[in-house]
Amino acid sequence: MPTPRIRRPRSLAGQLFAMQIVLVALVVAGCAVFTYLTDRRQAEEAARRQVTTATTAVAASPAVRAAVRSADPAAALQPYAEQVRRDTGVDFVTIMSPGGIRWTHPDPARIGERFIGHTAPALDGRTFSETYTGTLGPSVRAVAPVQEHDTVIGLVSAGITVDVISARLSHQVAALFGMAAGALALGGVGTYLLNLRLRRHTHGMNAKELSRMHDYHEAALHAVREGLLMLDGRRCVALVNDGGRELLGLHGEVVGRHVTQLGLPASLTDALMAPGPRVDEVHLTAERIVVVNSSPVSSGERRGTIVTLRDHTELLSLSGELDSVRGFAEALRSQAHEAANRLHAVVSLIELGRAEEAVEFATAELELAQALTDRVVAAVGEPVLAALLLGKAAQANEHGVELVLTDDTRLDDGLLPAGLPARDLVTILGNLIDNAVEAATGSRSTARVTVTVRTGGGDDPGGDAPGSAGDGRGELLLRVGDSGPGVAPEAVDEVFRRGWSTKSPAATPHGRGLGLALVQQAARRNGGTVTLGRSPAGGAEFTVRLPLCTRISEGVPA
């Protein structure tokens, strides 16, 4: 048994087409009826004026008054009345006595009979008109008195039958309905063409399907975490979802605003204004690193641009942490290799009978490694930063760079508020140390990186003033300097720009040159600042200040 075919609901364009055809037909029919009634009324009014004019003219004729006073009025008036009837186009001209006895009639057999109709107003000296059924059928007629010295000596009536009026109207009605049919056909063709266009735009969907698609569209926009930005042909925002607002840092009503009015960085604005597609471009906003993909929407002409945005901040942070882990692993591997060499040296000294020299050699190496560990652990009680500094010290040592903690470095465990993420601290300090190690490597003097980590209310390391390290309020200061060549004065404003690097473009592949940009973003997210100066060793010195009192006050009143 064949499965019954489910009839798909009519499309929105089809429904509108049917509704418009019915509406056009009703409008045309209404106009036609109104025009018909108006024309009929006008035709009757024209007939009334025609018969009134003819009646008045006959009643005022001296020949008629003279014939009325004659011995045989009918003989003189009948030819005259017929001539007037033919000349004026009326259907009858009846001249009668004041008593209503006809002297004239289109049918001579009716002469001498009583007039059928009203004559009282005419006997009072007034001309009037009416629609009345007489010997010729229903007619529009007028009756006027024939007066002499204010005395009514006769009556005149002229009329046009309703059938003649209808015959005249029928020609107008035929033309009217022809025009109505033409208007209906023209309206139908126009409606059909408009609905063809509508069908293309709605893709043949009905109202329920369009409503459902709109609901899905809205739900998808709010559910997708990736940013979505739609620009029209004038580069104004047509649509942006929640993810796009968050990634671009947009607030308030932005739909309808031009891209240049969104307050985005220049490089990102240029990418959104570009006519061609963009694929996996990395751009910085105030607090995030986003990957931008754009594609123009066109159909014969440019309609706009679809832009997708992906958050790259966490990925790059994790990538940096992975690089640090790899560095730790390389350092451990190198240290293991170096430890094996030292162990062979100790064993060889023992085999040569120089036990005291072997003990002295082993003890010196152990004290050197332990000294750095003791210094870091004693100065930095925060375990995450302590582990980072020990790992970075090992990495720096592999590059022939000495990592040194300044004397004022002091950070006890538990001073950092929970609102300051450890990942941001790793991002800031790790990238600054990595850049400093790269800059110090190969320097002519002793390659050295100096690190300062402390809390306090200012640059005074004493910590006795209010808001110093003693109470954990004020700010966290992270300072990293190197003995490298430093930063050229003309490049000071560019160091935090995406892609900036002291290396050649060939040495900075895609994804490099983001370390300092990440540092600045992490500092901004936590309400801090980053400044660039010159270190005592002659290289660059970066100082990061992160406020602590505002974050502590969230839990404890300041």
Side-chain angles (χ1 to χ4, degrees):
M1 181 178 180
T3 303
R5 182 180 178 182
I6 300 177
R7 185 177 180 181
R8 185 173 179 270
R10 185 185 296 272
S11 67
L12 177 62
Q15 294 177 4
L16 289 178
F17 177 72
M19 292 174 60
Q20 289 172 333
I21 285 295
V22 172
L23 181 61
V24 169
L26 290 177
V27 170
V28 171
C31 291
V33 171
F34 175 79
T35 304
Y36 171 78
L37 295 177
T38 301
D39 288 349
R40 183 176 185 86
R41 185 167 57 253
Q42 291 176 346
E44 291 179 353
E45 186 63 29
R48 196 177 303 278
R49 290 195 300 270
Q50 182 180 356
V51 296
T52 300
T53 301
T55 300
T56 304
V58 172
S61 173
V64 172
R65 287 198 294 270
V68 167
R69 290 195 300 270
S70 66
D72 188 7
L77 293 175
Q78 176 67 13
Y80 174 79
E82 288 300 302
Q83 183 64 41
V84 171
R85 181 179 66 80
R86 289 191 295 269
D87 292 343
T88 58
V90 298
D91 290 328
F92 66 88
V93 175
T94 300
I95 304 174
M96 67 197 86
S97 67
I101 302 302
R102 300 188 186 100
W103 289 326
T104 66
H105 194 276
D107 182 4
R110 299 287 184 176
I111 295 176
E113 295 180 356
R114 185 174 294 277
F115 175 76
I116 300 175
H118 300 98
T119 59
L123 293 175
D124 292 337
R126 293 185 294 108
T127 301
F128 71 97
S129 62
E130 64 177 351
T131 301
Y132 199 86
T133 302
T135 57
L136 300 179
S139 63
V140 175
R141 61 179 65 180
V143 181
V146 180
Q147 295 179 318
E148 187 176 40
H149 305 299
D150 295 332
T151 302
V152 176
I153 60 176
L155 300 175
V156 178
S157 176
I160 300 176
T161 61
V162 174
D163 292 340
V164 172
I165 297 175
S166 298
R168 294 178 183 178
L169 186 61
S170 63
H171 298 291
Q172 299 178 3
V173 170
L176 171 64
F177 278 101
M179 294 176 60
L184 181 60
L186 183 61
V189 171
T191 301
Y192 179 74
L193 294 177
L194 289 175
N195 279 274
L196 281 181
R197 183 180 179 87
L198 179 62
R199 187 182 298 273
R200 286 196 302 269
H201 288 307
T202 59
H203 301 285
M205 292 186 290
N206 56 45
K208 183 178 293 185
E209 291 172 334
L210 288 173
S211 176
R212 184 166 59 247
M213 177 170 289
H214 176 268
D215 294 340
Y216 290 159
H217 172 268
E218 290 294 321
L221 285 179
H222 292 289
V224 174
R225 291 189 58 190
E226 286 73 13
L228 178 63
L229 180 68
M230 296 185 183
L231 306 176
D232 60 20
R234 297 180 294 111
R235 290 300 189 279
C236 294
V237 178
L239 183 146
V240 59
N241 71 340
D242 298 339
R245 287 179 177 273
E246 181 179 357
L247 292 178
L248 297 179
L250 303 178
H251 304 284
E253 182 59 40
V254 297
V255 175
R257 292 169 58 184
H258 197 267
V259 169
T260 56
Q261 300 174 343
L262 299 180
L264 301 177
S267 62
L268 182 54
T269 300
D270 292 341
L272 297 179
M273 292 289 292
R278 297 296 179 102
V279 180
D280 290 340
E281 287 192 0
V282 179
H283 292 273
L284 271 72
T285 64
E287 297 184 354
R288 297 180 182 273
I289 298 175
V290 296
V291 177
V292 177
N293 287 272
S294 66
S295 176
V297 179
S298 59
S299 177
E301 59 177 324
R302 187 176 185 84
R303 299 286 183 85
T305 304
I306 301 295
V307 182
T308 59
L309 308 163
R310 298 197 311 272
D311 191 357
H312 212 49
T313 309
E314 294 185 2
L315 181 59
L316 285 181
S317 298
L318 292 175
S319 177
E321 293 180 14
L322 180 59
D323 290 340
S324 298
V325 171
R326 288 174 178 169
F328 297 158
E330 292 294 330
L332 291 175
R333 187 181 298 109
S334 178
Q335 288 180 348
H337 180 72
E338 186 67 19
N341 291 336
R342 294 168 183 168
L343 182 60
H344 285 304
V346 171
V347 171
S348 299
L349 288 173
I350 293 175
E351 289 177 348
L352 292 174
R354 300 181 178 183
E356 294 181 0
E357 294 180 11
V359 172
E360 182 180 353
F361 177 78
T363 303
E365 292 294 329
L366 181 61
E367 289 177 352
L368 184 62
Q370 188 62 35
L372 178 61
T373 302
D374 292 343
R375 174 78 180 98
V376 171
V377 172
V380 181
E382 186 67 29
V384 174
L385 293 183
L388 176 67
L389 290 172
L390 288 173
K392 292 300 181 182
Q395 285 182 272
N397 185 55
E398 288 301 314
H399 291 81
V401 178
E402 180 185 7
L403 190 148
V404 179
L405 295 182
T406 59
D407 293 337
D408 60 337
T409 293
R410 184 72 182 177
L411 181 62
D412 296 331
D413 188 15
L415 287 182
L416 298 181
L420 184 58
R423 175 176 290 181
D424 286 348
L425 295 179
V426 171
T427 297
I428 294 172
L429 197 56
N431 280 288
L432 290 179
I433 294 176
D434 287 341
N435 288 346
V437 170
E438 287 186 5
T441 300
S443 57
R444 296 179 180 178
S445 60
T446 301
R448 176 175 294 178
V449 172
T450 59
V451 179
T452 301
V453 179
R454 65 180 175 82
T455 57
D459 289 335
D460 182 12
D464 296 332
S468 66
D471 60 5
R473 301 174 187 271
E475 65 182 11
L476 171 65
L477 184 142
L478 306 173
R479 179 177 290 147
V480 178
D482 61 71
S483 60
V487 179
E490 62 272 10
V492 171
D493 295 333
E494 297 292 323
V495 294
F496 298 106
R497 178 176 53 83
R498 178 185 69 86
W500 184 90
S501 176
T502 56
K503 295 185 177 182
S504 63
T508 56
H510 181 71
R512 295 291 303 267
L514 288 172
L516 292 177
L518 287 173
V519 170
Q520 187 180 57
Q521 282 191 340
R524 285 178 176 175
R525 275 198 303 271
N526 295 278
T529 61
V530 184
T531 56
L532 171 62
R534 194 165 188 84
S535 72
E541 183 179 74
F542 289 89
T543 302
V544 179
R545 300 176 186 272
L546 302 175
L548 298 180
C549 58
T550 55
R551 294 184 178 276
I552 293 177
S553 65
E554 292 175 1
V556 180

